Amino acid sequence: MAVAAVQITHPEPFDFSNTAEWPRWIRWFERFRLASGLSTKPEDYQVNSLLYAMEDEADDILAVLPLKNFVFLGELSSPTVQEWTETISVHGTVIQFKLDTGAAVSAVPESVFSKNKLGHLQKAKKVLYGPAPNILEVNGCFQGVLTVKGRRCIQDVYVVAGLTKALLGLPAIEALSLVHRIDAVTQQHTPNLVAAYPSVFSGLGLLQKPYHIEVEKDATQYALSTPRRVPLPLRDKVKEELDRMESMGVISKVSSPTEWCAGMVVVPKPSGNICICVDLTNLGQERTLHPTDCRRAPSDAVQCQSVHEIGC
């Protein structure tokens, strides 16, 4: 039984004005290219078939565009983003370039080009496209010797009418090693301070001798005669925490009057536990001030090991 051959037709004409339909048309043409056997044809044949399918406007582009000699020269910028620039010597002439990794070639404005300094201007080897995409007006190109930071390369530099700033394209950027591609980010090893200084991070940490606090000669002693009230909902937790601190040696009971006595402050924690603090406001106003060296490195505190420092 004979099977009728399937007739493969060209996609509908390409609509240059309807950008939203471009992806769908490209997928359609790719199916046509495979189904019709076009993919097995020479490259020039495939390109001309594509232009034929795109119809009239594609012919206008072909009239000014060699099939293999066009590149993209794009510049997309934002006023809130700081540009990446580099000052580069071109044949001894210093030019500030914007690093444009999206540009396929390097280019300078007409105002920058000087025949006496940059050499003879030749006919442009490629047609340049802007972001629109639109064909840019190119006056020509010259072979430039680019030098920066001890590195040197030779690149074709295009002179473009209407360009506001010099653009350094991706080939020159890579040749001069101005931008490096990062394929992976690894976490830097951080030393384990707990393992390196176990005595600092274990146990309570007690001073080796009683700590002496200096106060001004005319300091007024301050001592509470009545304990501060503890809210009823916190009393059991406060009692439990005071007992725990006493058993650890953090605090000890005092049964006789003292010259200095500060009030207790109970601070609830997000976890539901409490923290016992002391209100040393009055002592702080009477103590003697000593200059502090602010240049100490944070690592110096680790060297104290089991003796905790108290700033006062």
Side-chain angles (χ1 to χ4, degrees):
M1 179 178 178
V3 179
V6 178
Q7 186 176 3
I8 306 298
T9 59
H10 273 289
E12 61 187 19
F14 183 80
D15 187 355
F16 284 86
S17 62
N18 189 1
T19 57
E21 287 294 316
W22 288 7
R24 187 185 67 85
W25 194 93
I26 293 173
R27 290 194 301 269
W28 190 358
F29 183 82
E30 180 62 17
R31 295 192 190 98
F32 166 78
R33 193 175 72 91
L34 296 174
S36 64
L38 177 61
S39 59
T40 62
K41 302 293 184 180
E43 182 180 347
D44 288 348
Y45 185 91
Q46 294 187 50
V47 172
N48 280 282
S49 297
L50 170 63
L51 295 173
Y52 176 80
M54 297 172 75
E55 296 194 349
D56 296 339
E57 221 168 326
D59 289 337
D60 297 336
I61 296 176
L62 181 60
V64 296
L65 183 63
L67 291 181
K68 296 183 180 179
N69 294 325
F70 65 92
V71 295
F72 175 77
L73 182 69
E75 180 191 1
L76 300 176
S77 60
S78 170
T80 60
V81 178
Q82 185 177 3
E83 295 181 346
W84 286 11
T85 60
E86 189 67 57
T87 301
I88 298 176
S89 173
V90 183
H91 291 302
T93 300
V94 176
I95 302 175
Q96 188 177 50
F97 283 86
K98 174 184 176 181
L99 306 187
D100 189 352
T101 56
V105 296
S106 299
V108 296
E110 291 176 300
S111 58
V112 173
F113 177 76
S114 172
K115 181 178 179 180
N116 296 331
K117 296 181 179 180
L118 300 180
H120 180 68
L121 196 63
Q122 303 175 353
K123 183 179 179 181
K125 300 177 181 180
K126 300 178 182 294
V127 176
L128 304 188
Y129 270 84
N134 57 303
I135 298 178
L136 303 179
E137 182 181 347
V138 180
N139 296 344
C141 69
F142 65 93
Q143 195 171 63
V145 179
L146 282 60
T147 307
V148 61
K149 298 178 180 179
R151 295 183 289 270
R152 179 177 177 271
C153 72
I154 298 176
Q155 296 283 325
D156 288 333
V157 181
Y158 288 74
V159 180
V160 180
L163 194 64
T164 58
K165 65 186 70 173
L167 301 178
L168 194 69
L170 182 60
I173 291 173
E174 292 180 333
L176 295 172
S177 300
L178 296 177
V179 174
H180 299 279
R181 181 181 305 207
I182 299 177
D183 296 319
V185 177
T186 57
Q187 185 176 5
Q188 186 176 4
H189 174 69
T190 303
N192 189 342
L193 297 180
V194 177
Y197 304 95
S199 59
V200 176
F201 298 97
S202 60
L204 180 60
L206 299 175
L207 295 176
Q208 301 301 311
K209 58 183 179 179
Y211 185 76
H212 176 70
I213 300 177
E214 294 184 7
V215 296
E216 299 292 344
K217 294 180 180 180
D218 57 348
T220 302
Q221 297 175 353
Y222 178 82
L224 284 178
S225 57
T226 304
R228 291 180 177 177
R229 294 183 178 181
V230 177
L232 288 175
L234 298 179
R235 284 191 179 182
D236 292 340
K237 291 184 178 180
V238 170
K239 178 64 168 60
E240 181 181 349
E241 180 64 12
L242 290 175
D243 292 341
R244 187 185 71 88
M245 294 171 67
E246 184 180 5
S247 65
M248 294 175 61
V250 177
I251 59 175
S252 59
K253 288 183 178 181
V254 178
S255 56
S256 59
T258 59
E259 295 177 347
W260 293 89
C261 181
M264 181 181 67
V265 179
V266 181
V267 180
K269 295 182 178 180
S271 62
N273 297 327
I274 60 169
C275 179
I276 302 295
C277 305
V278 183
D279 183 4
L280 298 176
T281 303
N282 296 88
L283 177 60
Q285 293 172 352
E286 301 294 347
R287 68 184 176 88
T288 302
L289 300 179
H290 297 281
T292 302
D293 186 1
C294 298
R295 295 171 298 176
R296 290 182 57 196
S299 58
D300 294 344
V302 178
Q303 299 175 1
C304 300
Q305 297 193 9
S306 60
V307 179
H308 294 312
E309 290 187 290
I310 299 179
C312 62

